[in-house]
Amino acid sequence: MSETATPSGKTPVDFWFDPLCPWAWMTSRWVLEVEKVRNIEVNWHIMSLAVLNEDRLDELPESYRDMLVTKAWQPVRVVTAAWQRHGADVLGPLYTALGTRIHNNGEGPTRAAVEGALADVGLPADLIEYAEQHDFEFDAELRASHKEGIEKVGQDVGTPVIAVPGPDGEQIAFFGPVVTPAPKGEEAARLWDGALAVASVPGFYEIKRTRTKGPDFSNL
């Protein structure tokens, strides 16, 4: 994934997401806005908060640990199965359908929300059966995709991960940005330009401030 241009001549942007994460959802809507104002093309990939945290569950707050154990596996399994059975082109539309239901509409990561998202994009209803498949048929593919994304930024971050070609052809990758609400228009473009600028500086690692509010889905 080190190509510097897609067949359409646009800059490829690789985006790793877990459909459960509201912050990744906000960032994904921003990146789609950037597609309108910058010459980029987004390629979607799976990562998993459940995989990321499975070896440190005892260190996590109880509510977050319970969420990972009881809710995080189901949507990402269904998305992975859809990808494996129907190709990577379904990832973007299915993520949009899932995120709209889970986050914007407040349905949460329920079976009904996932079933509805599959119907929204015309995917077979039987994909929902992968949600509870504990001996998951496509576990190796899910973990390989997760590993590809997280190894670009390190184990101490989460989702999303974004990677773009650098000036030397090697990818520049970063976590986030974490932002709410998702910027629109030229504001989205300015944030994109700034994120690329800081991420491209050798030795740069982090800018951060305390979050003062939760995800705002009102403009999505």
Side-chain angles (χ1 to χ4, degrees), residues 67-146:
M67 182 273 295
L68 292 174
V69 172
T70 63
K71 299 178 180 179
W73 285 107
Q74 288 84 352
V76 79
R77 283 176 177 151
V78 172
V79 175
T80 303
W83 161 42
Q84 290 298 301
R85 285 180 49 181
H86 300 280
D89 288 347
V90 307
L91 287 174
L94 181 55
Y95 182 31
T96 291
L98 276 169
T100 299
R101 286 178 172 273
I102 292 172
H103 304 297
N104 294 11
N105 298 350
E107 297 178 37
T110 62
R111 184 182 178 96
V114 178
E115 288 176 327
L118 291 170
D120 290 341
V121 295
L123 284 168
D126 67 351
L127 285 167
I128 190 63
E129 301 308 322
Y130 289 96
E132 302 295 340
Q133 191 182 71
H134 297 295
D135 187 15
F136 181 44
E137 180 179 348
F138 303 113
D139 186 67
E141 290 82 359
L142 166 59
R143 290 174 183 276
S145 180
H146 173 88

Coordinates of all heavy atoms in Angstrom, one line a residue, residues 67-146:
M67 N -18.0 -3.7 27.5 CA -18.3 -3.4 26.1 C -17.5 -4.2 25.1 O -18.0 -4.7 24.1 CB -18.1 -1.9 25.9 CG -18.5 -1.4 24.5 SD -17.1 -1.5 23.3 CE -15.9 -0.4 24.0
L68 N -16.2 -4.3 25.4 CA -15.3 -5.1 24.5 C -15.7 -6.5 24.4 O -15.7 -7.1 23.4 CB -13.9 -5.0 24.9 CG -13.2 -3.6 24.8 CD1 -11.8 -3.6 25.4 CD2 -13.1 -3.1 23.3
V69 N -16.1 -7.1 25.6 CA -16.4 -8.5 25.6 C -17.8 -8.8 25.0 O -18.0 -9.8 24.3 CB -16.4 -9.0 27.1 CG1 -16.9 -10.4 27.2 CG2 -14.9 -9.0 27.6
T70 N -18.8 -7.9 25.3 CA -20.2 -8.2 24.9 C -20.6 -7.6 23.6 O -21.6 -8.1 23.0 CB -21.1 -7.8 26.0 OG1 -21.0 -6.3 26.2 CG2 -20.8 -8.4 27.4
K71 N -20.0 -6.5 23.2 CA -20.5 -5.8 22.0 C -19.5 -5.6 20.9 O -19.9 -5.4 19.7 CB -21.0 -4.4 22.4 CG -22.1 -4.4 23.4 CD -22.5 -3.0 23.8 CE -23.6 -3.0 24.9 NZ -24.0 -1.7 25.3
A72 N -18.2 -5.6 21.2 CA -17.2 -5.1 20.1 C -17.0 -6.1 19.0 O -16.7 -5.8 17.9 CB -15.9 -4.8 20.8
W73 N -17.1 -7.4 19.4 CA -16.8 -8.4 18.3 C -17.8 -8.5 17.2 O -17.5 -8.8 16.1 CB -16.7 -9.8 19.0 CG -15.4 -10.0 19.8 CD1 -15.3 -10.0 21.2 CD2 -14.1 -10.2 19.3 NE1 -14.0 -10.2 21.5 CE2 -13.2 -10.3 20.4 CE3 -13.6 -10.3 18.0 CZ2 -11.8 -10.5 20.2 CZ3 -12.2 -10.5 17.8 CH2 -11.4 -10.6 18.9
Q74 N -19.1 -8.4 17.6 CA -20.2 -8.7 16.6 C -20.1 -7.8 15.3 O -20.1 -8.4 14.2 CB -21.5 -8.6 17.3 CG -21.8 -9.7 18.3 CD -21.3 -9.4 19.6 OE1 -20.5 -8.5 19.8 NE2 -21.6 -10.3 20.6
P75 N -20.1 -6.5 15.4 CA -20.1 -5.7 14.2 C -18.8 -5.9 13.3 O -18.9 -6.0 12.1 CB -20.2 -4.3 14.7 CG -20.8 -4.3 16.0 CD -20.3 -5.6 16.6
V76 N -17.7 -6.0 14.0 CA -16.4 -6.1 13.2 C -16.4 -7.5 12.5 O -15.8 -7.7 11.5 CB -15.2 -5.9 14.1 CG1 -14.8 -7.0 15.0 CG2 -14.0 -5.4 13.2
R77 N -16.9 -8.5 13.1 CA -17.0 -9.8 12.5 C -17.9 -9.8 11.2 O -17.5 -10.3 10.2 CB -17.5 -10.9 13.5 CG -16.5 -11.4 14.5 CD -17.2 -12.3 15.5 NE -16.3 -12.9 16.4 CZ -16.6 -13.3 17.7 NH1 -17.9 -13.1 18.1 NH2 -15.7 -13.7 18.5
V78 N -19.0 -9.1 11.3 CA -19.9 -9.1 10.2 C -19.2 -8.3 9.1 O -19.3 -8.7 7.9 CB -21.3 -8.4 10.6 CG1 -22.1 -8.2 9.4 CG2 -22.0 -9.4 11.6
V79 N -18.6 -7.2 9.4 CA -17.9 -6.4 8.4 C -16.8 -7.2 7.7 O -16.6 -7.1 6.5 CB -17.4 -5.0 9.0 CG1 -16.6 -4.3 7.9 CG2 -18.5 -4.2 9.5
T80 N -16.0 -7.9 8.5 CA -15.0 -8.7 8.0 C -15.5 -9.8 7.1 O -15.0 -10.0 6.0 CB -14.1 -9.3 9.1 OG1 -13.6 -8.3 10.0 CG2 -13.0 -10.1 8.6
A81 N -16.6 -10.4 7.5 CA -17.2 -11.5 6.6 C -17.7 -10.9 5.3 O -17.5 -11.5 4.3 CB -18.3 -12.2 7.4
A82 N -18.3 -9.7 5.4 CA -18.8 -9.1 4.2 C -17.6 -8.8 3.2 O -17.7 -9.0 2.0 CB -19.5 -7.8 4.5
W83 N -16.5 -8.3 3.8 CA -15.3 -8.0 3.0 C -14.8 -9.3 2.4 O -14.5 -9.3 1.2 CB -14.3 -7.4 3.9 CG -12.9 -7.4 3.5 CD1 -12.4 -7.2 2.2 CD2 -11.7 -7.7 4.3 NE1 -11.0 -7.3 2.2 CE2 -10.6 -7.6 3.5 CE3 -11.6 -8.0 5.7 CZ2 -9.3 -7.8 4.0 CZ3 -10.3 -8.2 6.2 CH2 -9.2 -8.1 5.3
Q84 N -14.7 -10.4 3.1 CA -14.1 -11.6 2.6 C -15.1 -12.2 1.6 O -14.6 -12.8 0.6 CB -13.9 -12.6 3.7 CG -12.7 -12.2 4.6 CD -11.4 -12.1 3.8 OE1 -11.0 -13.1 3.2 NE2 -10.8 -10.9 3.8
R85 N -16.3 -12.1 1.7 CA -17.3 -12.8 0.8 C -17.6 -11.9 -0.4 O -18.0 -12.5 -1.4 CB -18.6 -13.2 1.6 CG -18.4 -14.4 2.5 CD -19.7 -14.8 3.2 NE -20.8 -14.8 2.4 CZ -22.1 -15.1 2.8 NH1 -22.3 -15.3 4.1 NH2 -23.1 -15.1 2.0
H86 N -17.5 -10.6 -0.3 CA -18.0 -9.7 -1.3 C -17.0 -8.7 -1.8 O -17.4 -7.9 -2.6 CB -19.3 -9.1 -0.9 CG -20.4 -10.1 -0.5 ND1 -21.2 -10.7 -1.5 CD2 -20.8 -10.6 0.7 CE1 -22.0 -11.5 -0.9 NE2 -21.8 -11.5 0.4
G87 N -15.8 -8.7 -1.2 CA -14.8 -7.8 -1.7 C -14.7 -6.5 -0.9 O -15.6 -6.1 -0.2
A88 N -13.5 -5.8 -1.1 CA -13.2 -4.6 -0.3 C -14.1 -3.5 -0.7 O -14.3 -2.5 0.1 CB -11.8 -4.3 -0.5
D89 N -14.7 -3.5 -1.8 CA -15.6 -2.4 -2.2 C -16.8 -2.2 -1.4 O -17.4 -1.1 -1.3 CB -16.0 -2.5 -3.7 CG -14.9 -2.3 -4.7 OD1 -13.8 -1.7 -4.3 OD2 -15.1 -2.6 -5.9
V90 N -17.2 -3.2 -0.6 CA -18.4 -3.1 0.3 C -18.0 -2.4 1.6 O -18.9 -2.0 2.3 CB -19.0 -4.5 0.5 CG1 -19.3 -5.2 -0.8 CG2 -18.1 -5.4 1.5
L91 N -16.7 -2.3 1.9 CA -16.4 -1.8 3.2 C -16.9 -0.4 3.5 O -17.4 -0.1 4.5 CB -14.9 -1.9 3.4 CG -14.3 -3.3 3.7 CD1 -12.8 -3.3 3.7 CD2 -14.8 -3.9 4.9
G92 N -16.6 0.5 2.5 CA -17.0 1.9 2.7 C -18.5 2.0 2.9 O -19.0 2.6 3.9
P93 N -19.3 1.5 1.9 CA -20.8 1.6 2.1 C -21.3 1.0 3.3 O -22.2 1.5 4.0 CB -21.3 0.9 0.8 CG -20.2 1.1 -0.2 CD -18.9 1.0 0.6
L94 N -20.8 -0.2 3.7 CA -21.3 -0.9 4.9 C -20.9 -0.1 6.1 O -21.8 0.0 7.1 CB -20.8 -2.3 4.9 CG -21.3 -3.2 6.1 CD1 -22.8 -3.2 6.2 CD2 -20.7 -4.6 6.0
Y95 N -19.7 0.4 6.2 CA -19.3 1.2 7.3 C -20.3 2.4 7.5 O -20.7 2.7 8.6 CB -17.9 1.6 7.2 CG -17.3 2.4 8.3 CD1 -17.8 2.3 9.6 CD2 -16.3 3.4 8.1 CE1 -17.2 3.0 10.7 CE2 -15.8 4.1 9.2 CZ -16.3 3.9 10.5 OH -15.7 4.6 11.5
T96 N -20.6 3.1 6.4 CA -21.5 4.2 6.4 C -22.8 3.8 6.9 O -23.4 4.5 7.8 CB -21.6 4.9 5.1 OG1 -20.3 5.5 4.7 CG2 -22.7 5.9 5.0
A97 N -23.4 2.7 6.5 CA -24.7 2.2 6.9 C -24.7 1.9 8.4 O -25.6 2.2 9.1 CB -25.1 1.1 6.1
L98 N -23.6 1.2 8.8 CA -23.5 0.8 10.2 C -23.3 2.0 11.1 O -24.0 2.1 12.1 CB -22.3 -0.1 10.4 CG -22.5 -1.6 10.1 CD1 -21.1 -2.3 10.1 CD2 -23.4 -2.3 11.2
G99 N -22.4 2.9 10.7 CA -22.2 4.1 11.6 C -23.4 5.0 11.7 O -23.7 5.5 12.8
T100 N -24.1 5.1 10.6 CA -25.4 5.9 10.6 C -26.4 5.3 11.6 O -27.0 6.1 12.4 CB -26.0 6.0 9.2 OG1 -25.0 6.6 8.3 CG2 -27.3 6.8 9.2
R101 N -26.5 4.0 11.6 CA -27.5 3.4 12.5 C -26.9 3.4 14.0 O -27.6 3.7 14.9 CB -27.8 2.0 12.1 CG -28.7 1.9 10.8 CD -29.0 0.5 10.4 NE -30.0 0.5 9.4 CZ -31.3 0.4 9.6 NH1 -31.7 0.3 10.8 NH2 -32.1 0.4 8.6
I102 N -25.7 2.9 14.1 CA -25.1 2.8 15.5 C -24.9 4.1 16.2 O -25.3 4.3 17.4 CB -23.8 2.0 15.4 CG1 -24.0 0.6 15.0 CG2 -23.0 2.1 16.8 CD1 -22.7 -0.2 14.7
H103 N -24.4 5.1 15.5 CA -24.0 6.4 16.1 C -25.0 7.5 15.8 O -25.6 8.0 16.8 CB -22.6 6.8 15.6 CG -21.6 5.7 15.8 ND1 -21.2 5.3 17.1 CD2 -20.8 5.0 14.9 CE1 -20.3 4.4 17.0 NE2 -20.0 4.2 15.7
N104 N -25.3 7.8 14.6 CA -26.2 8.9 14.3 C -27.6 8.7 14.8 O -28.2 9.6 15.4 CB -26.2 9.2 12.8 CG -24.9 9.7 12.2 OD1 -23.9 9.7 12.9 ND2 -24.9 10.2 11.0
N105 N -28.1 7.5 14.5 CA -29.5 7.2 14.9 C -29.6 6.6 16.3 O -30.8 6.4 16.8 CB -30.1 6.1 13.9 CG -30.1 6.7 12.5 OD1 -29.9 7.9 12.2 ND2 -30.4 5.8 11.5
G106 N -28.5 6.4 17.0 CA -28.5 5.9 18.4 C -29.0 4.5 18.6 O -29.5 4.2 19.7
E107 N -28.9 3.7 17.6 CA -29.4 2.3 17.7 C -28.4 1.5 18.5 O -28.8 0.4 19.0 CB -29.7 1.7 16.3 CG -30.8 2.4 15.5 CD -31.0 1.7 14.2 OE1 -30.9 0.5 14.0 OE2 -31.2 2.5 13.2
G108 N -27.1 1.9 18.5 CA -26.1 1.1 19.2 C -25.8 -0.1 18.3 O -26.4 -0.4 17.3
P109 N -24.8 -0.9 18.8 CA -24.3 -2.1 18.0 C -25.2 -3.3 18.2 O -24.7 -4.4 18.6 CB -22.9 -2.3 18.6 CG -23.0 -1.8 20.0 CD -23.9 -0.7 20.0
T110 N -26.5 -3.1 18.0 CA -27.4 -4.2 18.2 C -27.5 -5.1 17.0 O -27.1 -4.7 15.9 CB -28.8 -3.7 18.5 OG1 -29.2 -2.9 17.4 CG2 -28.8 -2.8 19.8
R111 N -28.0 -6.3 17.2 CA -28.2 -7.2 16.0 C -29.1 -6.5 15.0 O -28.9 -6.6 13.8 CB -28.8 -8.5 16.5 CG -29.0 -9.6 15.4 CD -29.6 -10.8 16.0 NE -29.8 -11.8 14.9 CZ -29.0 -12.8 14.6 NH1 -27.9 -12.9 15.3 NH2 -29.3 -13.7 13.6
A112 N -30.2 -5.9 15.5 CA -31.1 -5.2 14.6 C -30.4 -4.1 13.8 O -30.7 -4.0 12.6 CB -32.3 -4.6 15.4
A113 N -29.5 -3.4 14.4 CA -28.8 -2.3 13.7 C -27.9 -2.9 12.6 O -27.9 -2.4 11.5 CB -28.0 -1.5 14.6
V114 N -27.2 -4.0 12.9 CA -26.4 -4.6 11.9 C -27.2 -5.2 10.8 O -26.8 -5.1 9.6 CB -25.5 -5.7 12.6 CG1 -24.6 -6.4 11.6 CG2 -24.6 -5.0 13.7
E115 N -28.3 -5.9 11.1 CA -29.2 -6.4 10.1 C -29.7 -5.3 9.2 O -29.8 -5.5 8.0 CB -30.3 -7.2 10.8 CG -29.9 -8.5 11.4 CD -31.1 -9.2 12.1 OE1 -32.0 -8.4 12.7 OE2 -31.1 -10.4 12.2
G116 N -30.1 -4.2 9.8 CA -30.6 -3.1 9.0 C -29.5 -2.5 8.1 O -29.8 -2.2 6.9
A117 N -28.3 -2.4 8.6 CA -27.2 -1.9 7.7 C -26.9 -2.8 6.5 O -26.7 -2.4 5.4 CB -25.9 -1.7 8.6
L118 N -27.0 -4.1 6.8 CA -26.8 -5.1 5.7 C -27.9 -4.9 4.6 O -27.6 -4.8 3.4 CB -26.8 -6.5 6.2 CG -25.6 -6.9 7.0 CD1 -25.9 -8.3 7.7 CD2 -24.3 -7.0 6.2
A119 N -29.1 -4.7 5.1 CA -30.2 -4.5 4.1 C -30.0 -3.1 3.4 O -30.3 -3.0 2.2 CB -31.5 -4.5 4.9
D120 N -29.5 -2.1 4.1 CA -29.4 -0.8 3.5 C -28.5 -0.8 2.3 O -28.7 0.0 1.4 CB -28.8 0.2 4.6 CG -29.8 0.5 5.7 OD1 -31.0 0.3 5.5 OD2 -29.3 1.0 6.7
V121 N -27.5 -1.7 2.3 CA -26.5 -1.7 1.2 C -26.7 -2.9 0.3 O -25.8 -3.2 -0.6 CB -25.0 -1.6 1.7 CG1 -24.8 -0.3 2.4 CG2 -24.7 -2.8 2.7
G122 N -27.7 -3.7 0.5 CA -28.0 -4.8 -0.4 C -27.2 -6.0 -0.2 O -27.0 -6.8 -1.1
L123 N -26.6 -6.2 1.0 CA -25.8 -7.4 1.3 C -26.7 -8.5 1.9 O -27.7 -8.2 2.5 CB -24.7 -7.0 2.2 CG -23.5 -6.3 1.6 CD1 -22.6 -5.7 2.8 CD2 -22.7 -7.1 0.7
P124 N -26.3 -9.7 1.7 CA -27.1 -10.9 2.1 C -27.3 -10.8 3.6 O -26.4 -10.6 4.4 CB -26.3 -12.1 1.7 CG -25.4 -11.6 0.6 CD -25.1 -10.2 0.9
A125 N -28.6 -11.1 4.0 CA -29.0 -11.1 5.4 C -28.2 -12.1 6.2 O -28.0 -11.9 7.4 CB -30.5 -11.3 5.5
D126 N -27.8 -13.2 5.6 CA -27.2 -14.3 6.4 C -25.8 -13.9 6.9 O -25.2 -14.6 7.7 CB -27.1 -15.6 5.5 CG -26.1 -15.5 4.3 OD1 -25.7 -14.4 4.0 OD2 -25.9 -16.6 3.7
L127 N -25.3 -12.8 6.5 CA -24.0 -12.3 7.0 C -24.1 -12.0 8.5 O -23.1 -12.1 9.3 CB -23.5 -11.0 6.3 CG -22.9 -11.2 4.9 CD1 -22.8 -9.9 4.2 CD2 -21.6 -11.9 5.0
I128 N -25.3 -11.8 9.0 CA -25.5 -11.5 10.4 C -25.1 -12.7 11.3 O -24.7 -12.6 12.5 CB -27.0 -11.1 10.7 CG1 -27.1 -10.6 12.2 CG2 -27.9 -12.3 10.5 CD1 -26.3 -9.3 12.5
E129 N -25.1 -13.9 10.7 CA -24.8 -15.1 11.5 C -23.3 -15.1 11.9 O -23.0 -15.8 12.9 CB -25.1 -16.4 10.7 CG -26.6 -16.5 10.3 CD -27.6 -16.3 11.4 OE1 -27.3 -16.8 12.5 OE2 -28.6 -15.7 11.2
Y130 N -22.5 -14.3 11.3 CA -21.1 -14.3 11.7 C -20.9 -13.5 13.0 O -19.9 -13.6 13.6 CB -20.2 -13.6 10.6 CG -20.1 -14.5 9.4 CD1 -20.9 -14.3 8.3 CD2 -19.1 -15.5 9.3 CE1 -20.7 -15.1 7.1 CE2 -18.9 -16.3 8.2 CZ -19.7 -16.1 7.1 OH -19.6 -16.9 6.0
A131 N -21.9 -12.7 13.4 CA -21.8 -11.9 14.6 C -21.5 -12.7 15.8 O -20.7 -12.3 16.7 CB -23.1 -11.0 14.8
E132 N -22.2 -13.8 15.9 CA -22.0 -14.7 17.1 C -21.2 -15.9 16.9 O -21.2 -16.8 17.7 CB -23.4 -15.1 17.6 CG -24.4 -14.0 17.9 CD -23.9 -13.1 19.1 OE1 -23.1 -13.6 19.9 OE2 -24.4 -12.0 19.2
Q133 N -20.4 -15.9 15.8 CA -19.6 -17.0 15.4 C -18.3 -16.9 16.2 O -17.3 -16.3 15.8 CB -19.3 -17.1 13.9 CG -18.7 -18.4 13.4 CD -18.4 -18.3 11.9 OE1 -17.5 -17.6 11.5 NE2 -19.2 -19.1 11.2
H134 N -18.2 -17.5 17.4 CA -17.0 -17.4 18.2 C -15.8 -18.1 17.6 O -14.7 -17.6 17.8 CB -17.4 -17.9 19.6 CG -18.5 -17.2 20.3 ND1 -18.3 -15.9 20.7 CD2 -19.7 -17.6 20.7 CE1 -19.5 -15.4 21.2 NE2 -20.3 -16.5 21.2
D135 N -16.0 -19.2 16.9 CA -14.9 -19.8 16.2 C -14.9 -19.1 14.8 O -15.3 -19.8 13.8 CB -15.1 -21.3 16.1 CG -13.9 -22.0 15.5 OD1 -12.8 -21.3 15.4 OD2 -14.0 -23.1 15.1
F136 N -14.6 -17.8 14.7 CA -14.9 -17.0 13.6 C -14.1 -17.5 12.3 O -12.9 -17.6 12.4 CB -14.5 -15.6 13.9 CG -14.8 -14.6 12.8 CD1 -16.0 -14.6 12.1 CD2 -13.9 -13.6 12.5 CE1 -16.2 -13.7 11.1 CE2 -14.1 -12.7 11.5 CZ -15.3 -12.7 10.8
E137 N -14.8 -17.7 11.3 CA -14.2 -18.2 10.0 C -13.1 -17.4 9.5 O -12.2 -17.9 8.9 CB -15.4 -18.4 9.0 CG -14.9 -19.0 7.7 CD -16.1 -19.2 6.7 OE1 -17.2 -19.1 7.1 OE2 -15.8 -19.4 5.5
F138 N -13.3 -16.0 9.6 CA -12.3 -15.1 9.0 C -11.5 -14.4 10.1 O -11.0 -13.3 9.9 CB -13.1 -14.1 8.1 CG -13.9 -14.7 7.1 CD1 -15.3 -14.6 7.1 CD2 -13.3 -15.4 6.0 CE1 -16.1 -15.2 6.1 CE2 -14.1 -16.0 5.0 CZ -15.4 -15.9 5.1
D139 N -11.3 -15.1 11.2 CA -10.5 -14.5 12.3 C -9.1 -14.1 11.8 O -8.6 -13.0 12.2 CB -10.4 -15.4 13.5 CG -9.8 -14.8 14.7 OD1 -10.4 -13.8 15.2 OD2 -8.7 -15.2 15.1
A140 N -8.4 -15.0 11.0 CA -7.1 -14.7 10.6 C -7.0 -13.4 9.7 O -6.1 -12.6 9.8 CB -6.5 -15.9 9.8
E141 N -8.0 -13.3 8.9 CA -8.0 -12.1 8.0 C -8.3 -10.8 8.8 O -7.7 -9.8 8.5 CB -9.1 -12.3 6.9 CG -8.8 -13.3 5.9 CD -9.1 -14.7 6.3 OE1 -9.5 -14.9 7.5 OE2 -8.8 -15.7 5.5
L142 N -9.2 -10.9 9.8 CA -9.4 -9.8 10.7 C -8.2 -9.3 11.4 O -7.8 -8.2 11.4 CB -10.5 -10.1 11.7 CG -10.7 -9.2 12.9 CD1 -11.1 -7.8 12.4 CD2 -11.8 -9.7 13.8
R143 N -7.5 -10.3 12.0 CA -6.3 -10.0 12.7 C -5.2 -9.5 11.8 O -4.4 -8.6 12.3 CB -5.9 -11.2 13.5 CG -6.8 -11.6 14.7 CD -6.5 -12.9 15.4 NE -7.5 -13.1 16.4 CZ -7.4 -12.6 17.6 NH1 -6.4 -11.8 18.0 NH2 -8.4 -12.9 18.5
A144 N -5.0 -10.0 10.6 CA -4.0 -9.5 9.7 C -4.2 -8.1 9.3 O -3.3 -7.3 9.3 CB -3.9 -10.4 8.5
S145 N -5.5 -7.7 9.1 CA -5.8 -6.4 8.7 C -5.6 -5.4 9.9 O -5.0 -4.3 9.7 CB -7.3 -6.3 8.3 OG -7.6 -4.9 7.9
H146 N -6.0 -5.9 11.1 CA -5.7 -5.1 12.3 C -4.2 -4.9 12.5 O -3.8 -3.7 12.8 CB -6.3 -5.8 13.5 CG -6.0 -5.2 14.8 ND1 -6.7 -4.2 15.4 CD2 -4.9 -5.4 15.7 CE1 -6.2 -3.8 16.5 NE2 -5.1 -4.5 16.7

